[in-house]
């Protein structure tokens, strides 16, 4: 009886809350309803095309224009029509019948084939380093191989897979409003699977649910059982045993031992043979390229690099002729769980702990609005083709210390025309057994795929709303104005070739989005019948900053260009000066290129996600083109010069005729000296000042965190371990946020990113210590003057 009374009370409270919210929204102001469409023109823009430079054949063969006409399907919407049966009983048991009808290929025990593989046989017979030839009994080694293989995988159980699919379907329908999948992308993947090569799905990692959501989605679309490479740190032994029976793969701990260790050699040989067998039998494989959500550290996963290195090794050895790589991304309105505490994020998830987390999620999301999910499958491309073509794009690179430290300290002003070398992910596991050249290939392939995954991911409504509230209306905004700006930012996103994960009536979309962000915003009704939307100060702004980061890739080029222009004007015009005064200054193309290049070197690769085949100079030109296209920069014709639009008498110079296609110094002119003579001004259109400020503020959380880290150098207690100094800096960011209201900078990941950037820049140095490497100030930045130089160098890109 108490339970029924509590349930009735909760229902009454929820209905009263909904009624209050409805009354807020129903007190409208007579605005005409406007529909938001996820496309401009007749067709939805197709996102996720593979790189035409590295994989031109895949770009042509694995894509067809007809797939752009296909719509979406809701994967978790299962009705009577999705089964072979009809009737009232089928309508009540459709989930169970649907799970029974899913095609699950027979899973054979591959242990004998793995035992007979060449690498494992060499280890057992003692013909390989670390083998069993020096007096060891081969039977003991066989038992060791069986033990390692049992740690890696187990034969999937069809009955357990069907039961789990039924339970997961019910769970997802309780948790999500829909899980949308683009039929055109799925048709493209089916077409690629018919080519006969195994499919390897390389995904981002937004939630721990990704590991069970993606196999469910692909199983429902007839792709078979997806083998998922799980992180053993995040699962307890009992949960690992269950996931292995559902198709999970786990890297044995012996694989991370040194290359000279006999146990490590044997474990890596067994893992290599397992990947050989998976690819040879054409079983799809899922690898996460990002670290688990909430983990403090580099964005690129060391475990994902290890598994991808094994795939590359198998293809290069000729055991499998080729493999097709499919970039994958999952976009959520709100991530169901987002632990940002490092201890909680890396704690192993047990079976009962997972069950309690499921119940808490159902209770929390059952009381509020359900979220929408979008699964994206980018265009597959050939690994063999990428391996052949990608090596030709490699050039010389320098460290950040060589590139930026002389400029920061004022020792020189010329920016070296060299690419930046910045790798934060350590080399672990089977990746250490590869040659250095192959390790570099795997790393650059990972950045390439991660760039494609992020570019194909749709922008959700919560990211657009959080960006507007954080960077344009932190002090509050009326709903009538917010509706117009939500539509404007959606249109700007579509104009840049990115997809959005929503559509419908504008007022209903904004109502749904604000309902999801209700813990972080306050809705106040005023007398005129309008609503005032105010972001809640404090941790709510930090949450909005994490959501707005999903929109940053859309405007990244323009944001980098706007901050570079701000840095160029910092020494000429006072920052508080009027826009008309800033528009008087002439900006040469050479100065703009140098300033953009400085900012590109300063920003971490984890944020930029630049394609390895694209040079920094080409990206600088792309940034400049974007600023011209969006109307912020206007070409200024100098007296006596040829107009920029006059192409009638332009000729291709002889010294450019013999250059490679990727080696042109300027895409729009026949001579670099001619490009240096171009000048630009800031546009004087009425919308430009607000848009310029908006673009600058998109990068303000990162740049302000870096500037505060530079100011903290003389306050920090050094020497200290990396984790200890990161905790010091994070506490300083939190204290500064309380004083100045910069809560978007109070993020532990930003603190770690600043420390690693300063370490690459030569501000901090590492020395060995008893408890691990210790950080201390380098002699070049030991003085207060050099620290202030660093702070001024960063602050020039920040627009207040």
């Amino acid at each position: 009886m108490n339970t029924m009374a509590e349930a009735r009370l909760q229902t009454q409270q929820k209905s009263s809350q909904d009624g209050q919210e409805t009354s807020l929204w129903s007190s409208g102001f007579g605005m005409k309803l406007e529909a938001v469409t996820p496309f401009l023109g007749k067709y939805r823009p197709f996102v996720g095309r593979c790189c035409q430079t590295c994989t031109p054949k895949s770009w042509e063969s694995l894509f067809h224009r007809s797939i752009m006409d296909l719509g979406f399907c809701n994967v978790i919407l299962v009705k009577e029509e999705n089964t072979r049966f009809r009737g009232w009983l089928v309508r009540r048991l459709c989930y169970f019948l649907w799970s029974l009808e899913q095609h699950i290929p027979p899973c054979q025990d591959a242990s004998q084939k793995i035992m007979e593989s060449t690498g494992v046989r060499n280890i057992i017979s003692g013909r390989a380093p670390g083998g069993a030839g020096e007096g060891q009994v081969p039977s003991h080694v066989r038992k060791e191989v069986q033990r390692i293989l049992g740690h890696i995988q187990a034969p999937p159980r069809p009955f357990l897979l069907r039961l789990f699919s039924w339970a997961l379907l019910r769970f997802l329908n309780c948790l999500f409003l829909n899980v949308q999948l683009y039929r055109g992308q799925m048709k493209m993947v089916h077409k690629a699977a018919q080519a006969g090569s195994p499919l390897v799905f390389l995904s981002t990692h937004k939630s721990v649910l990704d590991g069970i959501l993606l196999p469910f989605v692909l199983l429902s679309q007839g792709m078979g059982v997806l083998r998922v490479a799980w992180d053993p740190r995040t699962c307890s032994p009992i949960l690992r045993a269950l996931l292995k029976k559902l198709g999970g793969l786990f890297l044995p701990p012996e694989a991370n031992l040194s290359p000279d260790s006999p146990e490590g050699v044997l474990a890596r040989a067994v893992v290599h043979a397992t990947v050989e067998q998976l690819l040879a039998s054409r079983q799809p494989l899922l690898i996460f390229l990002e670290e688990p959500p909430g983990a403090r550290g580099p964005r690129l996963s060391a475990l994902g690099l290890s598994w991808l290195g094994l795939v590359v090794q198998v293809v290069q050895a000729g055991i499998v002729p080729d493999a097709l790589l499919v970039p994958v991304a999952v976009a959520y309105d709100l991530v169901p769980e987002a632990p940002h505490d490092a201890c909680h994020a890396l704690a192993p998830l047990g079976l009962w702990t997972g069950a309690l987390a499921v119940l808490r999620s159902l209770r929390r999301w059952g009381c509020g609005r359900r979220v929408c999910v979008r699964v994206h499958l980018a265009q597959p491309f050939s690994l063999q083709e990428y391996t052949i073509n990608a090596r030709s794009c490699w050039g010389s690179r320098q460290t950040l210390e060589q590139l930026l430290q002389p400029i920061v300290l004022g020792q020189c002003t010329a920016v070296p025309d060299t690419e930046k070398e910045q790798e934060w992910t350590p080399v672990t596991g089977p990746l250490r057994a590869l040659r250095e050249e192959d390790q570099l290939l795997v790393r650059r392939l990972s950045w390439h795929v991660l760039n494609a995954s992020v570019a194909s991911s749709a922008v959700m409504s919560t990211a657009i709303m959080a960006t507007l509230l954080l960077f344009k209306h932190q002090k509050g905004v009326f709903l009538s104005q917010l509706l117009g700006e939500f539509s404007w930012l959606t249109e700007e996103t579509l104009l840049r070739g990115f997809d959005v994960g929503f559509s419908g009536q504008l007022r209903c979309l904004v109502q749904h989005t604000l309902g999801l962000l209700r813990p972080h915003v306050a809705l106040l009704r005023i007398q005129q019948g309008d609503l005032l939307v105010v972001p809640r100060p404090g941790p709510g702004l930090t949450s909005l900053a994490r959501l707005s980061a999903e929109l940053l890739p859309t405007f990244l080029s323009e944001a980098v260009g706007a901050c570079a222009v701000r840095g160029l004007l910092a020494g000429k015009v006072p920052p508080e000066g009027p826009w008309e005064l800033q528009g008087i200054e002439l900006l040469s193309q050479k100065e703009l290129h140098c300033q953009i290049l400085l900012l590109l070197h300063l920003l971490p690769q984890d944020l930029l996600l630049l394609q390895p085949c694209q040079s920094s100079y080409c990206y600088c030109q792309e940034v400049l083109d974007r600023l011209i296209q969006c109307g912020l920069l206007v070409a200024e014709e100098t007296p006596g010069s040829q107009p920029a639009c006059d192409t009638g008498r332009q000729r291709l110079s002889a010294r450019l005729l013999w250059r490679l296609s990727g080696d042109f110094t300027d895409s729009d002119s026949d001579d670099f000296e001619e490009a240096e003579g171009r000048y630009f001004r800031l546009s004087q259109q009425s919308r430009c000042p607000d848009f310029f400020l908006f673009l600058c503020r998109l990068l303000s959380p990162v740049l302000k965190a870096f500037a505060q880290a530079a100011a903290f150098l003389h306050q920090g207690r050094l020497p200290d371990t990396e984790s200890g100094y990161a905790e010091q800096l994070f506490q300083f960011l939190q204290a500064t946020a309380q004083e100045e209201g910069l809560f978007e900078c109070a993020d532990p990941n930003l603190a770690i990113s600043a420390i690693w950037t300063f370490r690459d820049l030569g501000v901090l140095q590492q020395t060995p210590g008893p408890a691990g490497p210790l950080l201390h100030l380098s002699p070049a930045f030991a003085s207060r003057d050099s620290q202030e130089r660093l702070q001024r160098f960063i602050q020039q890109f920040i627009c207040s």
Side-chain angles (χ1 to χ4, degrees):
M1 294 295 293
N2 293 334
T3 304
M4 294 177 60
E6 292 177 358
R8 186 179 296 110
L9 180 61
Q10 291 178 0
T11 304
Q12 292 175 357
Q13 292 176 350
K14 185 176 185 300
S15 62
S16 62
Q17 179 181 355
D18 293 343
Q20 294 175 1
E21 188 171 333
T22 304
S23 64
L24 284 175
W25 285 91
S26 60
S27 59
F29 36 84
M31 181 178 179
K32 185 176 68 173
L33 293 179
E34 180 183 352
V36 176
T37 56
F39 51 86
L40 294 174
K42 186 176 181 181
Y43 299 105
R44 173 187 296 272
F46 187 84
V47 295
R49 296 294 301 270
C50 62
C51 180
Q52 194 173 8
T53 302
C54 299
T55 53
K57 294 181 180 178
S58 301
W59 190 85
E60 292 179 357
S61 61
L62 299 178
F63 175 79
H64 196 271
R65 292 290 179 184
S66 62
I67 66 176
M68 300 176 63
D69 301 335
L70 303 177
F72 286 84
C73 65
N74 185 7
V75 179
I76 62 175
L77 181 62
V78 176
K79 298 181 178 179
E80 177 186 1
E81 292 78 12
N82 299 106
T83 66
R84 295 179 299 165
F85 308 98
R86 297 294 182 267
W88 65 271
L89 185 59
V90 175
R91 287 191 289 271
R92 286 155 179 80
L93 300 176
C94 58
Y95 287 2
F96 180 72
L97 295 175
W98 175 85
S99 63
L100 292 179
E101 292 180 358
Q102 295 305 305
H103 173 65
I104 298 179
C107 302
Q108 300 177 356
D109 189 3
S111 59
Q112 187 61 31
K113 293 183 179 180
I114 294 174
M115 188 73 68
E116 295 174 355
S117 66
T118 304
V120 175
R121 280 205 319 267
N122 291 340
I123 297 293
I124 294 177
S125 60
R127 291 196 298 267
E134 293 84 7
Q136 293 185 9
V137 181
S139 60
H140 294 170
V141 183
R142 287 179 177 272
K143 292 181 181 179
E144 182 68 11
V145 171
Q146 293 287 354
R147 185 191 67 81
I148 295 174
L149 187 57
H151 189 98
I152 298 173
Q153 67 170 1
R157 306 300 174 88
F159 172 75
L160 191 60
L161 282 167
R162 298 183 190 279
L163 181 63
F164 186 76
S165 299
W166 167 77
L168 184 61
L169 183 59
R170 299 192 66 87
F171 169 69
L172 294 177
N173 273 279
C174 296
L175 191 61
F176 299 129
L177 189 63
N178 54 55
V179 178
Q180 297 285 345
L181 177 66
Y182 191 33
R183 288 193 179 97
Q185 294 175 342
M186 197 67 240
K187 180 181 179 181
M188 184 172 53
V189 174
H190 276 295
K191 180 182 178 182
Q194 295 172 0
S197 299
L199 297 178
V200 180
F201 296 90
L202 303 173
S203 175
T204 58
H205 206 176
K206 301 299 182 185
S207 167
V208 294
L209 284 179
D210 295 346
I212 59 176
L213 176 63
L214 289 174
F216 171 82
V217 170
L218 294 175
L219 178 65
S220 67
Q221 301 300 311
M223 295 301 298
V225 179
L226 186 65
R227 310 303 296 269
V228 184
W230 288 89
D231 189 350
R233 300 173 300 170
T234 60
C235 304
S236 66
I238 298 178
L239 186 58
R240 281 202 299 266
L242 175 62
L243 292 176
K244 280 188 286 188
K245 294 179 180 178
L246 295 174
L249 299 172
F250 292 89
L251 201 65
E254 294 86 356
N256 294 317
L257 298 177
S258 62
D260 301 332
S261 171
E263 294 82 2
V265 172
L266 179 61
R268 284 188 287 271
V270 176
V271 175
H272 188 274
T274 303
V275 176
E276 286 181 14
Q277 179 59 30
L278 287 177
L279 297 181
S281 58
R282 297 180 56 191
Q283 298 185 48
L285 175 64
L286 172 63
I287 300 173
F288 291 106
L289 292 181
E290 289 183 322
E291 285 290 344
R296 298 185 185 181
R299 183 171 187 175
L300 207 59
S301 169
L303 181 67
L305 287 179
S306 298
W307 284 104
L308 183 56
L310 289 168
V311 174
V312 172
Q313 196 174 6
V314 169
V315 174
Q316 286 184 338
I319 301 170
V320 176
D322 196 5
L324 294 178
L325 306 183
V326 186
V328 182
V330 183
Y332 298 88
D333 275 338
L334 286 179
V335 179
E337 33 55 49
H340 294 281
D341 181 23
C343 300
H344 179 261
L346 296 179
L349 183 64
L351 193 59
W352 295 110
T353 309
L356 291 176
V358 168
L359 293 177
R360 284 197 300 268
S361 298
L362 290 176
R363 180 182 178 184
R364 181 173 63 253
W365 291 95
C367 298
R369 297 177 182 270
R370 292 183 293 172
V371 302
C372 302
V373 185
R374 178 75 66 82
V375 178
H376 307 272
L377 303 173
Q379 184 179 6
F381 63 92
S382 167
L383 175 59
Q384 188 71 32
E385 183 186 9
Y386 178 85
T387 304
I388 296 173
N389 297 333
R391 298 182 191 272
S392 62
C393 301
W394 296 357
S396 61
R397 292 175 178 260
Q398 292 183 354
T399 63
L400 189 61
E401 182 177 357
Q402 296 171 329
L403 292 171
L404 276 191
Q405 189 183 99
I407 298 175
V408 172
L409 296 178
Q411 298 173 356
C412 73
T413 57
V415 184
D417 188 14
T418 313
E419 302 300 314
K420 176 179 66 174
E421 181 65 35
Q422 187 178 60
E423 295 293 347
W424 290 349
T425 305
V427 179
T428 59
L431 193 62
R432 287 190 290 186
L434 298 179
R435 298 177 304 171
E436 186 175 353
E437 183 181 3
D438 293 334
Q439 292 179 13
L440 184 60
L441 173 68
V442 173
R443 285 180 178 275
R444 296 190 176 181
L445 173 60
S446 302
W447 287 119
H448 222 301
V449 175
L450 198 56
N451 175 277
S453 299
V454 172
S456 64
S457 180
V459 178
M460 307 304 283
S461 60
T462 48
I464 291 181
M465 183 63 68
T467 303
L468 289 173
L469 295 177
L470 183 65
F471 297 122
K472 294 200 65 159
H473 305 292
Q474 203 169 124
K475 295 182 180 180
V477 58
F478 291 112
L479 180 62
S480 56
Q481 182 181 356
L482 188 60
L483 289 171
E485 294 198 352
F486 186 90
S487 178
W488 161 77
L489 194 52
T490 301
E491 184 177 349
E492 291 290 337
T493 302
L494 293 170
L495 282 172
R496 283 156 180 80
F498 281 77
D499 198 4
V500 294
F502 54 88
S503 62
Q505 296 295 335
L506 177 61
R507 191 176 180 84
C508 296
L509 279 173
V510 173
Q511 178 182 4
H512 172 77
T513 306
L514 290 177
L516 293 176
L517 299 179
R518 195 62 185 270
H520 313 307
V521 299
L523 301 179
L524 306 176
R525 186 170 62 183
I526 58 178
Q527 294 180 354
Q528 289 82 359
D530 204 345
L531 284 180
L532 182 64
V533 183
V534 183
R536 299 182 188 273
L541 294 179
T542 307
S543 301
L544 292 179
R546 295 193 186 104
L547 288 171
S548 65
E550 303 297 325
L551 187 65
L552 180 58
T554 307
F555 295 91
L556 182 59
S557 298
E558 291 95 327
V560 169
C563 291
V565 171
R566 176 63 263 166
L568 194 58
L569 292 174
K572 302 179 180 181
V573 181
E576 64 275 3
W579 181 260
E580 293 78 7
L581 182 61
Q582 299 183 19
I584 297 176
E585 291 294 329
L586 282 178
L587 308 175
S588 69
Q589 182 165 331
K590 181 180 179 181
E591 291 177 331
L592 286 170
H593 274 201
C594 292
Q595 202 72 13
I596 294 170
L597 197 58
L598 288 177
L599 185 55
L600 288 179
H601 290 334
L602 177 64
L603 294 175
Q605 173 67 9
D606 285 9
L607 176 70
L608 295 174
L609 289 181
L610 299 181
Q611 291 183 345
C613 61
Q614 185 181 25
S615 66
S616 297
Y617 184 87
C618 290
Y619 188 76
C620 290
Q621 186 61 43
E622 179 184 337
V623 169
L624 189 58
D625 292 342
R626 289 290 187 92
L627 292 178
I628 297 173
Q629 290 172 5
C630 68
L632 285 178
L633 288 183
V634 179
E636 179 71 15
E637 305 294 348
T638 57
S641 64
Q642 180 182 353
C645 59
D646 184 9
T647 60
R649 293 179 294 174
Q650 291 185 6
R651 299 177 182 177
L652 192 63
S653 62
R655 67 188 182 90
L656 288 181
L657 283 174
W658 300 101
R659 292 201 172 193
L660 298 176
S661 59
D663 198 26
F664 283 95
T665 55
D666 189 82
S667 59
D668 298 328
S669 68
D670 61 347
D671 203 351
F672 179 61
E673 286 76 10
E674 180 184 345
E676 284 183 327
R678 293 180 182 174
Y679 288 87
F680 300 91
R681 292 183 189 272
L682 287 176
S683 175
Q684 296 301 311
Q685 296 182 16
S686 59
R687 67 175 185 88
C688 286
D690 290 339
F691 189 50
F692 181 82
L693 188 61
F694 169 74
L695 292 175
C696 290
R697 286 176 175 173
L698 290 178
L699 287 175
S700 62
V702 180
L703 294 174
K704 288 180 180 178
F706 283 15
Q708 292 178 25
F712 181 69
L713 289 174
H714 71 280
Q715 302 180 24
R717 297 182 298 274
L718 290 173
D720 197 356
T721 61
E722 185 178 290
S723 58
Y725 189 69
E727 188 62 31
Q728 291 185 48
L729 180 57
F730 178 54
Q731 292 177 1
F732 176 75
L733 293 178
Q734 287 183 316
T736 307
Q738 295 291 340
E739 296 174 2
E740 303 179 9
L742 302 176
F743 290 97
E744 63 271 18
C745 304
D747 193 321
N749 288 323
L750 290 179
I752 294 177
S753 180
I755 291 174
W756 287 351
T757 301
F758 286 1
R759 184 188 61 192
D760 295 343
L761 186 57
V763 180
L764 300 173
Q765 292 181 348
Q766 282 186 337
T767 55
L774 295 177
L775 290 176
H776 64 90
L777 274 175
S778 66
F781 289 89
S783 65
R784 188 67 180 272
D785 178 65
S786 58
Q787 296 173 12
E788 290 177 352
R789 284 177 178 270
L790 174 63
Q791 187 175 359
R792 288 196 299 269
F793 175 79
I794 300 173
Q795 286 178 340
Q796 67 175 329
F797 301 108
I798 302 175
C799 191
S800 60

